Amino acid sequence: MGSTGCFIIECYINCSCTSGRFAPKKGWEQFTDAVIKKISEEKENVVFLLWGNYAISKSKFIDQDKHFVLTSVHPSPLSASRGFFGNKHFSRTNEFLVSKGLEPINW
């Protein structure tokens, strides 16, 4: 985690630099699922920003009674205008953190 406590993880990796498709069932999912579960189990008041259907499917690994989960379409050029723009995830994250007595993130 960085000095702000912000940790970013990509849920899948591309097959190649020119491919828009990801490489399913190559082991990366097992790693990211384990990381998400571990953070959910061992931490409290974590904000999970899940962007895109694939990331949203990871919400099953998150204890939503302990954490704040925000979901949205992916911010890719093809879908960002369908709900990512204006979702206020960054300000909502900071509002949550402040409500828990934690430092807001300087995005």
Side-chain angles (χ1 to χ4, degrees):
M1 289 196 195
S3 62
T4 62
C6 188
F7 175 73
I8 299 171
I9 187 167
E10 184 66 46
C11 287
Y12 60 81
I13 54 177
N14 286 342
C15 296
S16 71
C17 293
T18 59
S19 172
R21 304 188 64 82
F22 68 96
K25 298 184 174 78
K26 298 290 184 190
W28 186 247
E29 298 88 354
Q30 295 168 347
F31 171 75
T32 58
D33 291 354
V35 169
I36 293 166
K37 288 177 193 174
K38 189 82 162 169
I39 291 171
S40 180
E41 291 168 0
E42 295 191 5
K43 300 290 182 181
E44 290 186 9
N45 300 321
V46 172
V47 179
F48 289 87
L49 305 176
L50 305 179
W51 299 339
N53 289 333
Y54 190 75
I56 292 168
S57 74
K58 303 298 180 176
S59 65
K60 64 188 171 204
F61 302 122
I62 302 167
D63 182 343
Q64 296 188 33
D65 292 328
K66 289 174 47 180
H67 306 293
F68 189 46
V69 178
L70 295 170
T71 62
S72 177
V73 297
H74 193 275
S76 74
L78 297 175
S79 60
S81 63
R82 294 184 305 191
F84 183 79
F85 295 134
N87 69 18
K88 300 184 186 278
H89 277 194
F90 302 114
S91 60
R92 292 176 65 194
T93 293
N94 281 344
E95 288 170 4
F96 172 81
L97 294 172
V98 169
S99 77
K100 299 297 182 180
L102 302 169
E103 288 290 320
I105 296 169
N106 181 3
W107 300 98

